[in-house]
Amino acid sequence: MTAGLPMPVPDPDLPRRVRIHEVGARDGLQNEKTVVPTEVKAEFIHRLAAAGLDTVEATSFVHPERVPQLADADELLPLIEDVGVRLPVLVPNERGLDRALALGAREIAVFGSTTESFAKANINRTVDESLTMFEPVVARAKGAGLRVRGYLSMCFGDPWEGPVPIGQVLAVGRRLLDLGCDELSLGDTIGVATPGHVTALLRAFEEAGVPAGRLAVHFHDTYGQALANTLAALRHGVTTVDASAGGLGGCPYAKSATGNLATEDLVWMLDGLGITTGVDLGRLAATSVWMAGHLGRPSPSRTVRAISHQES
Amino acid sequence: MTAGLPMPVPDPDLPRRVRIHEVGARDGLQNEKTVVPTEVKAEFIHRLAAAGLDTVEATSFVHPERVPQLADADELLPLIEDVGVRLPVLVPNERGLDRALALGAREIAVFGSTTESFAKANINRTVDESLTMFEPVVARAKGAGLRVRGYLSMCFGDPWEGPVPIGQVLAVGRRLLDLGCDELSLGDTIGVATPGHVTALLRAFEEAGVPAGRLAVHFHDTYGQALANTLAALRHGVTTVDASAGGLGGCPYAKSATGNLATEDLVWMLDGLGITTGVDLGRLAATSVWMAGHLGRPSPSRTVRAISHQES
């Protein structure tokens, strides 16, 4: 990085602080082909925390056969030191919740779909059946004092169904919130969203009484739109943004080289906007270069590439 | 592409039509290592026009030793059929203008720098000397009825000088406009801009009496910021956006794999915003895949990759 760049020029219409919900260790790794050793995952999470991220989604308690990359959740969690960061874990059902609770998890996430096609493909259930399955999970987690996040996938388009009507997203999203989810992460699983669509969806939630503070956005960079969409969401008042260190991950339902919004690309923009995140960009990018070495492929993050090329 | 995606959701605060100034054949190719045969360049320009682009910057009359890739400008222009598109050419000095006029060019561009460091590195002149050199070029071109664009590089940051003050950009930009340039293209040559900085620079021009209609924006995707910055510029009323088919090109002063904003990534966003461009995205992406074959490397455009992978 050249000193003084990006030059911070705030925009008074945007929030002054953003919380980054780092998903690289879970959503990122679960879509990477190379299986990463448990000790490396633990070090990855420690490094992400040391780079200043305050929420690092750690792993998933999905059935090991469905996501072999994260089959070591029971071994991983005990390796993670308590360094004061939030460590949510994905939990698909009551069995997963039992495992998470036994390991002392303080925060969980459930993963819902707006479309029947993806619900069927992802968890072999209808949307209704999945919500019925999540109901006792969320209730028990809340009863145990845990924080619960609801993911909602295919909020902008679906590879089988095409465009997803905003009313349909709102209906399923409200049901997840009504179950007791503290936060709802609106996912553009195949990366097809554009900024006007983002604004329209957020406005629909607002008009239905869901404040922007209960929403997060989760964009994929499949078509290069993730950061522009994030900007639209910030302008609407969203202050929680999901991102994946180094752009790790992808979507198994869209055969593209690129996956999640890269945390570094996001931090470059937020640093330039003078928005506080607590993240040290150089340290984060160094972590992604280190992890790329373990995965045997360069990071798809433009910012990671630019910083690491310039400094080499 | 899945049918119906991106789903068009207009934003009433954005323009309804955007003119894309396609720079792939000039700014793109000039930074590619593989020298492309003249006939292939001509076909590239024909294909870009057939994809619906109405402005295709064709080549440069810079000294052949400085830009060997474009040393065939005199051979190329006669090969390009008149298919009703604008075909500006870059002209560095009066000798270049003579060549362009002899070949019947109807539109030229000159290339200025905001910083002394880049003026020195790029054309071995001070900023003042470069403007003195451009003065008769612009005057003679305007006298001959040509349209003249002024490029202004390093508008947001410079690899040697770091952040570039907005007042400095405004001062050099106004001098280019005062010479007689019809349009000024504000370039983020090393890709470090962020959206608040873009808005602040455009506002400074507006307050100095330069309307957004005389400005174009030219972003590089080095740090993944190009599309978010474009969105900020559109919100400010800019309606001319530079982009490079397939993301061709790069910046020789920033050793990164990525260069210009990819036209396809831009068109995906504009299509999603319901903003008219006249461009057929599928046809454009196919052109970039074809050119990538000639260059021997995949397109860095996320949209080109996503579309071509999905359709293969």
Side-chain angles (χ1 to χ4, degrees), chain B residues 172-187:
Chain B
V172 185
R174 291 199 63 173
R175 287 174 71 184
L176 273 172
L177 288 167
D178 289 345
L179 288 183
C181 290
D182 301 288
E183 179 176 88
L184 185 67
S185 173
L186 302 170

Side-chain angles (χ1 to χ4, degrees), chain B residues 7-73:
Chain B
M7 182 171 124
V9 185
D11 180 326
D13 294 336
L14 300 182
R16 298 178 67 170
R17 185 176 182 91
V18 161
R19 183 174 71 81
I20 298 175
H21 186 107
E22 170 61 44
V23 299
R26 198 278 301 169
D27 190 21
L29 289 184
Q30 95 177 24
N31 290 306
E32 293 286 343
K33 285 177 190 163
T34 306
V35 175
V36 176
T38 309
E39 295 72 22
V40 173
K41 290 178 187 167
E43 183 172 350
F44 184 39
I45 292 167
H46 291 149
R47 284 182 183 230
L48 292 171
L53 289 154
D54 58 20
T55 306
V56 181
E57 198 161 297
T59 187
S60 167
F61 288 95
V62 172
H63 194 287
E65 283 179 13
R66 287 197 60 82
V67 184
Q69 175 68 265
L70 303 183
D72 60 356

Side-chain angles (χ1 to χ4, degrees), chain B residues 8-9 20 39 45 48 73 77 79-80 122-123 126 168 211 224 226 234 241 243 249 276 303:
Chain B
V9 185
I20 298 175
E39 295 72 22
I45 292 167
L48 292 171
L77 282 194
L79 296 182
I80 302 175
N122 196 42
I123 53 175
T126 66
Q168 182 175 330
L234 297 178
V241 179
T276 303
T303 297

Side-chain angles (χ1 to χ4, degrees), chain A residues 25 29 34-48 58-59 69-81 287 290-291 294:
Chain A
L29 289 184
T34 306
V35 175
V36 176
T38 308
E39 296 71 23
V40 173
K41 289 178 187 167
E43 183 172 351
F44 184 40
I45 291 167
H46 291 149
R47 285 183 182 230
L48 292 171
T59 189
Q69 175 68 265
L70 304 183
D72 60 354
D74 295 283
E75 291 73 52
L76 173 62
L77 282 194
L79 296 182
I80 303 176
E81 294 166 23
T287 297
W290 168 83
M291 179 51 85
H294 282 282

Side-chain angles (χ1 to χ4, degrees), chain A residues 85-99:
Chain A
V85 305
R86 290 165 54 178
L87 297 163
V89 295
L90 195 69
V91 161
N93 49 33
E94 290 195 86
R95 167 87 186 97
L97 178 64
D98 291 337
R99 291 167 66 196

